[in-house]
Amino acid sequence: MSGDGQKMSKSVGNVIDVDLLADGFGVDPTRAFLLREIRFSADGQFSYKGFLERYNADLANDLGNLAHRALTMTDKWLGGVVPERAAPDAQLAERAARTVEAFSAGFEALQFKEALDAVFDLVRAGNKYVDTKAPWGLNKAGKRDELQAVMRDVLEACAVAGALLLPVMPERAGELLRRLGADEGAARGWIAAWLSGERALDVLAPGAALQVGDPLFPRMSDLPPAIAALFAPPPEPAAPEAPMSETNEGAPAPLPELEWIEYADFAKLLLKVGKVLEAGPHPNADKLLVMKVDLGEARPRTICAGIKAVFAPETLVGRNVVVVANLKPRVLRGVPSEGMILAAGGETVVDLVSVDAKPGDTVR
């Protein structure tokens, strides 16, 4: 829909401009949302904000994060190839087999929501498997065989998701398969084999080269501009220009109303550059990561941050961050936190504040 469709969607409220969704988010995410959110041959709820939330939750945070974790960790620690391992994890393999059955049954019955729900349940199980197995700990401990088995399982879970999602997201699912050293033709063969009884989580070729690449689904903090414009208030009529005078000539626009502080208040903050040495999930809190951060001091500091939904731990290692170094330490769910890392964003964190300087340098 184009042209008058935008006007209708604003005035009537019962029209979705699919062109705007496809242009702003991509054709694949649009197709996936509509098939999953609105049941076939039935009415459904829709909002652009809900679309953005579903995109970030399912595609950026869940599927995109699982793929990025699998590929980056394997590339970093295992040479960027599909690793060998004896057998898949039994529980994860059983979950994958149930996913294939549920997806097939859902598509046969035109119950696309149920089919896609099954895939994203597997994706979430894959992310939980990574958190539980903590491959960063296995790597640090030198447990290479266990590390290879875990990373192979995670890569295989990505392969199952990519193969099943091909009919819904052919471009992005196909790209995921190519990064795994496979292709669409191989995926169709996998599905036939799985449905005939062969076990899942055992289809990738050991030694096949992997490609990390950019995130499959970049996180979006705001609605695309063309969609956001639908909700912008109409422009107010321009006020008549005031005659030029000595009091208003060249005067700057007024500043927003803020609770101003004095310089002495700001000077109380000690901001330091820190380098993340280690990062992993908090043992007792679902939303927190625990990091070891070098501030150029006698020992690294332990800092907890509520950014687990946005960042995979391994992507933070080696990053420079800005730390409030003189924030009084406290204990968060049993783990000490000795500072605060500055982040950018509104209700949702978009990125961490970073500077190109050595650990311990002061940020002024």
Side-chain angles (χ1 to χ4, degrees):
M1 181 181 300
S2 59
D4 293 340
Q6 293 187 27
K7 298 176 183 178
M8 291 175 61
S9 64
K10 292 187 70 174
S11 60
V12 182
N14 62 356
V15 175
I16 301 169
D17 193 330
V18 179
D19 288 340
L20 282 181
L21 289 174
D23 291 342
F25 293 95
V27 174
D28 280 4
T30 300
R31 188 186 295 110
F33 177 90
L34 295 176
L35 285 175
R36 188 175 181 196
E37 198 71 15
I38 302 175
R39 292 181 183 275
F40 184 67
S41 76
D43 293 336
Q45 297 291 325
F46 175 84
S47 73
Y48 291 105
K49 181 180 179 181
F51 190 110
L52 176 65
E53 292 174 349
R54 177 71 84 175
Y55 171 91
N56 281 329
D58 290 350
L59 299 182
N61 287 355
D62 287 345
L63 178 57
N65 189 38
L66 181 66
H68 191 68
R69 298 171 96 180
L71 293 166
T72 55
M73 286 189 285
T74 307
D75 181 68
K76 184 176 181 180
W77 299 327
L78 298 174
V81 298
V82 176
E84 295 270 8
R85 59 108 153 86
D89 178 84
Q91 289 187 336
L92 193 60
E94 175 60 26
R95 171 65 73 98
R98 294 199 306 270
T99 297
V100 173
E101 293 174 2
F103 185 87
S104 177
F107 253 67
E108 288 290 335
L110 303 182
Q111 298 296 323
F112 305 118
K113 172 179 170 50
E114 285 73 13
L116 292 171
D117 281 348
V119 177
F120 285 97
D121 284 346
L122 174 64
V123 170
R124 283 189 290 272
N127 276 311
K128 185 176 180 180
Y129 178 77
V130 174
D131 293 339
T132 301
K133 295 295 184 180
W136 45 88
L138 297 175
N139 178 65
K140 185 177 180 180
K143 297 180 179 180
R144 187 174 179 83
D145 289 345
E146 293 181 47
L147 176 63
Q148 289 187 167
V150 169
M151 296 318 304
R152 174 69 178 275
D153 285 340
V154 181
L155 291 166
E156 292 279 357
C158 291
V160 174
L164 296 179
L165 290 173
L166 270 175
V168 179
M169 297 192 291
E171 194 275 327
R172 291 287 82 192
E175 175 62 20
L176 173 57
L177 292 170
R178 285 186 287 276
R179 295 187 187 189
L180 295 170
D183 58 28
E184 292 88 336
R188 285 189 284 270
W190 300 343
I191 295 173
W194 293 332
L195 293 174
S196 67
E198 292 190 20
R199 70 183 184 186
L201 296 195
D202 205 15
V203 295
L204 295 177
L210 303 173
Q211 302 175 43
V212 177
D214 295 328
L216 286 169
F217 302 99
R219 185 173 178 81
M220 302 180 70
S221 57
D222 299 301
L223 287 170
I227 296 177
L230 296 177
F231 308 100
E236 296 182 1
E241 292 188 10
M244 297 296 288
S245 69
E246 294 183 0
T247 58
N248 65 12
E249 184 176 359
L255 292 171
E257 292 294 329
L258 297 173
E259 185 177 349
W260 299 102
I261 65 173
E262 300 293 338
Y263 178 78
D265 298 315
F266 169 76
K268 293 178 182 179
L269 294 177
L270 179 60
L271 304 179
K272 292 281 190 179
V273 177
K275 183 175 183 179
V276 180
L277 304 179
E278 299 177 17
H282 192 292
N284 305 312
D286 292 338
K287 297 181 180 180
L288 296 179
L289 292 180
V290 180
M291 289 166 279
K292 294 290 186 182
V293 183
D294 175 16
L295 295 184
E297 300 168 332
R299 65 168 178 82
R301 294 199 190 189
T302 300
I303 299 178
C304 300
I307 55 175
K308 185 177 178 182
V310 182
F311 297 99
E314 64 278 0
T315 64
L316 297 174
V317 176
R319 285 194 59 169
N320 276 7
V321 293
V322 176
V323 177
V324 182
N326 61 340
L327 183 68
K328 185 176 180 179
R330 58 178 179 151
V331 177
L332 298 178
R333 303 290 292 272
V335 176
S337 186
E338 303 169 313
M340 177 183 289
I341 293 177
L342 299 187
E347 294 183 3
T348 301
V349 171
V350 176
D351 202 354
L352 301 181
V353 177
S354 181
V355 294
D356 185 11
K358 68 178 185 295
D361 280 356
T362 301
V363 178
R364 297 180 175 86

